[in-house]
Amino acid sequence: MKRIVCTFLASMSLFALNAKTVRVGYFKDGGRVMNYISDKERKSGFSYEYLQTVASYTDWEFEYVYGYWDELYEKLISGEIDVLSDVSYSEARTKLFDYSEYPMAQENYFLYVNRHNKDVMAEDISSLNGKSIALAKGTYQYGLLMEWLKNHDVKLNISIVPFDKVSECAFNRGDYDLFLAIDLISSFDWEPVAKIGTSDIFIAVSKKRPDLLKELNEAQTTLYLSNPYYNNNLWGKYFSSASITKRLSAKETEWLSNKKVLNVGCFKNDFLYSPDNYKDNSGVVNYIMLLLKKQFNLDNLEFKYHFYEDKPQITQALKSGEIDLAFPFIYDLYSAEENKISLSFPFVPASFCYVFIQGMSYEKIVKKVGLLKGKRAAEFFEGTNISKNSEIIYFDTMEQCLNAILMGQVNCAVVNTSAASSFIFGREKYRMLTMTDLDSSASLCFAADNQNRVVISLMNKVISVMNKNDLNAELIKYSVADKTYSFYDFIDDYLVFIITGFLLLVILVIALIAALKYIKVLMNFDSVTNLRSRHTLNNYIQRFIEQAEERDETFSIIIFDLDEFKFINEKFGHSTGDEVLRHTSEIILGTVSAKDKVFRWGGAEFLVLIQADKKESEKIADKIRQNIMDEVYRQDDKKFSVTVTGGMSIYEEGKDYTQMLLEAEENLYTGKMNGKNKVIS
């Protein structure tokens, strides 16, 4: 024991000797570059995350020195700090400090105006003349603006103020008309009216620390070789919604001035998206249209919804001017160009799946495919390479299509995932059917005729500023509107039992009890893994929340998704894929305790409820990830293993079920985007 302790202390001493303290400047005015509340508050931001990533390739430990940019700049020159991020390059500065070999990102510099200042228009640069602005002389932004003003013959009333006084607060108070900043503006009242230039930004290193410059350059080289798009992805994470105009252009204003009613086309009985499904005209489409009204203060604009059977009908309505806008269209630019249709930015993922009898091989599934005429799933599948080798049979209704699978007329159906789930769920008749997502995916968008493109620019502005979490919450809310289990469905499912009941009442009672129990099992448990299905989650999570509140405890939701599971299905077949799913479920069950709950969440996803705090949950989650990775499978004398990525959400007082799911999904997506085989919390 004494030897072990000595070895441990020696190792820790060696680590301490190897660790190198680096004094890094932390901006008090950094916004999304370095978010600052106080010296002891949680840190975040683009530069903060970038430096933490660099540190993982070095032996650096950061000592933060807090201050405004100009203060930290002087400390870098004097050697009081070693490193400063977000520094623009100039030849003169190279004599004062050193630059990293590679830039961190490229910043865009914009002039911003208060959104309520109507006399300033981006289309008319001369409208800037005479406006007031505050600047710190000698900064990079100051030089850029002076050159831009000269080139565009614009004259501003410029106030030279200390650096820490050139602030968002002064602009919001109305002290000045204009504000100059990089593209990190998110306040609703700020509008970009002119881009005045760009600049690569670097990590600057004190001349006194050449050792750090060498290590920094080596770390950047290794980082870029392992992930060439790391910088762009990280910048997009923090600034993807930056510098988006929220005001109408002159052309848009003119178009709207002639509009009292905006005519919107939708598809009849369109699960999730059609306002026709809801008595109060709610639903996702109406949610977005209300955002349009709010965004541009269009209180007098009314919406009128028109409903069509299929895409040819709705396209013709766009061409004739009967409607101004249609939703949802698949984001397919080639098809849009062929039909002289304009599309908005894509913003809603479309999920399509194969429905087939369990146990059928993938090769057989796609040989004979059933499609619903005029539906998006049919349109999407027809555009894939798989369809070229498939025999396609069209049907009018979902019921006809699914019955054709049971009767062997087709091997599978390609349909919308949500619609199929709603239709099949709880139906004894379809108990033999299973679903799996298509390998490729699509996105949905708005569409307008090419002669009416201005409405697309309007929708793009709404889409760009729309909160994606709010949209996901709307989709989740409306996706619970499952198809009602009708009396006709009951007769269709249990016709044999009903006929038998007329002959033998006792047999009827026994048969009904057995059938209802069996349906309950089908509803509550997944047929492949024998895990609880996602439909049972609500009861369990409510129980976990109640226990957490009563006992002052916490718990976590973890969503795991097998990495590259599509490749396993393609290479080894769906039967091997099912075997991997079963083994994975056994591994998860064997790792968690009896009080924890495990669910088949869908596809290659598993959801785990763990009654533990964050630290213990992370430990269990990582153990699950490691155990899954350690499992070796054999198929046709070939060995392979799988990895899994997880996203975690920890319960906190006030959090609800939907918020936790969204957070776990977002963390899972982050893990997928950052190399997979990890758990993000």
Side-chain angles (χ1 to χ4, degrees):
M1 183 65 185
K2 183 177 180 181
R3 181 180 298 176
I4 294 174
V5 172
C6 291
T7 303
F8 174 75
L9 292 174
S11 300
M12 293 301 295
S13 300
L14 183 61
F15 175 80
L17 290 172
N18 288 334
K20 182 178 293 185
T21 299
V22 177
R23 297 167 300 173
V24 59
Y26 197 97
F27 304 124
K28 287 186 175 181
D29 52 350
R32 296 187 193 181
V33 174
M34 280 181 165
N35 183 41
Y36 178 83
I37 300 175
S38 73
D39 295 0
K40 296 182 180 181
E41 291 291 336
R42 182 180 180 86
K43 298 175 178 61
S44 63
F46 169 77
S47 286
Y48 175 76
E49 186 169 339
Y50 188 92
L51 287 169
Q52 290 298 316
T53 302
V54 168
S56 66
Y57 291 88
T58 64
D59 57 358
W60 295 358
E61 287 187 354
F62 292 125
E63 176 186 315
Y64 296 102
V65 179
Y66 301 92
Y68 292 101
W69 195 92
D70 56 338
E71 300 171 345
L72 297 174
Y73 181 82
E74 294 299 327
K75 288 184 178 181
L76 176 70
I77 296 172
S78 66
E80 295 177 67
I81 61 173
D82 304 313
V83 168
L84 187 64
S85 64
D86 192 27
V87 180
S88 300
Y89 180 86
S90 73
E91 191 67 32
R93 287 177 173 178
T94 58
K95 299 176 182 178
L96 304 175
F97 45 77
D98 294 317
Y99 286 93
S100 58
E101 183 174 357
Y102 298 102
M104 302 169 64
Q106 185 180 78
E107 288 182 337
N108 299 295
Y109 294 89
F110 289 88
L111 273 178
Y112 291 89
V113 68
N114 191 287
R115 143 179 218 271
H116 302 289
N117 195 332
K118 301 297 184 182
D119 61 335
V120 175
M121 296 175 289
E123 299 92 340
D124 182 11
I125 295 298
S126 65
S127 64
L128 293 170
N129 281 310
K131 298 299 179 183
S132 62
I133 188 171
L135 293 172
K137 193 170 184 179
T139 61
Y140 185 82
Q141 296 95 314
Y142 178 89
L144 273 180
L145 181 61
M146 293 302 102
E147 183 178 355
W148 186 88
L149 293 175
K150 180 180 178 181
N151 292 337
H152 291 80
D153 193 26
V154 173
K155 295 179 174 57
L156 301 179
N157 294 325
I158 301 174
S159 299
I160 304 300
V161 300
F163 187 87
D164 59 338
K165 300 300 181 183
V166 184
S167 67
E168 171 187 346
C169 295
F171 177 81
N172 285 337
R173 283 196 307 267
D175 296 352
Y176 307 99
D177 300 314
L178 302 175
F179 188 76
L180 176 59
I182 64 171
D183 50 356
L184 52 77
I185 306 305
S186 60
S187 171
F188 187 79
D189 288 333
W190 298 18
E191 290 285 349
V193 291
K195 180 178 178 180
I196 67 165
T198 62
S199 171
D200 285 339
I201 55 171
F202 296 80
I203 297 178
V205 181
S206 169
K207 289 284 188 184
K208 297 180 180 180
R209 298 302 303 268
D211 58 321
L212 296 183
L213 180 64
K214 180 176 182 296
E215 293 172 7
L216 171 61
N217 290 337
E218 290 173 351
Q220 282 189 324
T221 299
T222 304
L223 173 61
Y224 295 158
L225 289 175
S226 62
N227 186 353
Y229 303 103
Y230 172 79
N231 290 34
N232 290 338
N233 293 337
L234 185 61
W235 188 263
K237 173 182 175 180
Y238 287 95
F239 304 120
S240 61
S241 61
S243 301
I244 298 169
T245 182
K246 305 175 186 69
R247 63 173 61 193
L248 297 170
S249 67
K251 188 175 181 180
E252 292 162 349
T253 301
E254 180 184 0
W255 186 82
L256 284 169
S257 66
N258 299 317
K259 279 284 176 189
K260 293 183 178 180
V261 177
L262 189 64
N263 292 289
V264 183
C266 301
F267 294 97
K268 290 182 179 178
N269 301 317
D270 192 6
F271 186 80
L272 275 183
Y273 304 120
S274 175
D276 191 34
N277 291 340
Y278 311 99
K279 295 179 180 179
D280 58 352
N281 268 357
S282 57
V284 174
V285 179
N286 199 56
Y287 166 76
I288 297 169
M289 301 316 295
L290 291 175
L291 285 180
L292 172 67
K293 290 187 68 168
K294 180 180 179 182
Q295 179 71 45
F296 300 113
N297 297 319
L298 304 173
D299 296 332
N300 296 324
L301 183 64
E302 297 180 3
F303 303 124
K304 184 176 181 181
Y305 294 106
H306 305 257
F307 302 97
Y308 303 91
E309 293 288 349
D310 51 33
K311 186 176 179 182
Q313 282 188 8
I314 205 169
T315 301
Q316 181 57 40
L318 286 172
K319 295 289 184 185
S320 67
E322 182 179 331
I323 57 175
D324 304 299
L325 196 63
F327 182 85
F329 268 49
I330 291 178
Y331 189 71
D332 181 349
L333 294 175
Y334 179 79
S335 176
E337 183 181 25
E338 290 290 298
N339 290 284
K340 301 187 183 307
I341 295 293
S342 295
L343 302 179
S344 73
F345 296 150
F347 64 99
V348 176
S351 178
F352 305 119
C353 68
Y354 296 109
V355 179
F356 55 95
I357 295 176
Q358 297 180 39
M360 188 177 295
S361 67
Y362 177 76
E363 292 75 13
K364 187 175 181 181
I365 286 172
V366 296
K367 281 185 177 180
K368 188 179 289 188
V369 179
L371 300 176
L372 296 179
K373 284 189 293 188
K375 298 298 184 182
R376 284 186 301 278
E379 178 190 351
F380 179 72
F381 183 74
E382 289 163 351
T384 64
N385 290 328
I386 300 171
S387 66
K388 297 175 183 177
N389 300 315
S390 301
E391 179 185 349
I392 297 176
I393 300 176
Y394 293 92
F395 299 90
D396 293 321
T397 66
M398 177 76 77
E399 185 175 18
Q400 291 175 0
C401 199
L402 297 181
N403 288 342
I405 301 173
L406 297 177
M407 296 172 63
Q409 295 175 340
V410 295
N411 296 336
C412 80
V414 174
V415 291
N416 177 277
T417 302
S418 297
S421 298
S422 175
F423 200 94
I424 294 173
F425 174 66
R427 291 294 304 274
E428 171 71 14
K429 180 179 180 179
Y430 301 124
R431 67 184 183 280
M432 297 174 62
L433 299 182
T434 188
M435 298 162 46
T436 185
D437 290 338
L438 268 69
D439 295 336
S440 50
S441 59
S443 296
L444 303 179
C445 60
F446 285 94
D449 183 67
N450 279 354
Q451 301 300 317
N452 203 21
R453 284 176 169 162
V454 65
V455 70
I456 292 298
S457 68
L458 276 172
M459 298 315 301
N460 281 342
K461 289 178 180 179
V462 175
I463 292 167
S464 296
V465 299
M466 181 168 53
N467 187 302
K468 299 304 185 291
N469 288 333
D470 289 344
L471 176 62
N472 290 335
E474 291 294 315
L475 289 169
I476 291 174
K477 179 170 67 175
Y478 292 117
S479 67
V480 300
D482 285 338
K483 175 180 176 290
T484 303
Y485 190 76
S486 66
F487 179 72
Y488 168 79
D489 295 331
F490 178 79
I491 296 295
D492 195 31
D493 281 346
Y494 299 106
L495 182 59
V496 174
F497 297 109
I498 293 173
I499 294 174
T500 304
F502 282 110
L503 302 175
L504 290 171
L505 182 59
V506 175
I507 295 177
L508 170 64
V509 173
I510 296 173
L512 282 175
I513 292 173
L516 289 173
K517 286 183 178 180
Y518 184 53
I519 289 175
K520 186 176 180 180
V521 171
L522 289 177
M523 291 168 61
N524 294 335
F525 293 90
D526 172 59
S527 60
V528 176
T529 62
N530 291 325
L531 294 176
R532 295 177 179 86
S533 70
R534 66 185 298 154
H535 304 289
T536 65
L537 175 64
N538 189 55
N539 292 335
Y540 286 97
I541 199 168
Q542 291 298 337
R543 193 182 308 162
F544 271 53
I545 291 174
E546 291 171 3
Q547 290 178 358
E549 293 173 347
E550 292 172 1
R551 305 174 185 176
D552 195 24
E553 297 175 346
T554 188
F555 70 93
S556 64
I557 290 179
I558 310 171
I559 299 177
F560 292 99
D561 186 20
L562 291 173
D563 299 326
E564 306 300 336
F565 185 71
K566 177 182 70 173
F567 173 78
I568 294 172
N569 278 332
E570 289 177 348
K571 186 170 183 179
F572 301 108
H574 285 272
S575 59
T576 300
D578 287 348
E579 188 64 22
V580 170
L581 291 174
R582 281 190 287 271
H583 270 293
T584 300
S585 66
E586 292 169 0
I587 291 171
I588 297 175
L589 286 170
T591 307
V592 302
S593 66
K595 63 183 180 180
D596 303 324
K597 306 299 177 186
V598 184
F599 304 80
R600 173 79 183 280
W601 195 236
E605 290 185 345
F606 300 83
L607 186 144
V608 185
L609 295 177
I610 296 180
Q611 287 186 332
D613 59 20
K614 181 177 181 181
K615 184 176 180 180
E616 182 63 20
S617 294
E618 289 175 339
K619 180 179 178 182
I620 295 171
D622 195 65
K623 186 175 181 181
I624 290 173
R625 181 195 64 79
Q626 186 66 47
N627 290 345
I628 291 173
M629 184 174 64
D630 291 341
E631 183 72 12
V632 178
Y633 299 88
R634 291 174 174 81
Q635 177 71 23
D636 297 331
D637 298 325
K638 294 181 181 178
K639 296 181 180 180
F640 68 93
S641 58
V642 297
T643 60
V644 68
T645 301
M648 180 186 297
S649 175
I650 302 297
Y651 174 76
E652 298 172 356
E653 186 175 356
K655 266 190 180 180
D656 62 24
Y657 164 33
T658 301
Q659 289 174 320
M660 293 186 73
L661 282 178
L662 288 174
E663 185 178 2
E665 290 281 5
E666 183 177 351
N667 287 336
L668 174 61
Y669 176 79
T670 300
K672 288 287 189 180
M673 291 295 99
N674 289 275
K676 304 178 182 178
N677 192 21
K678 59 186 65 176
V679 179
I680 302 296
S681 59

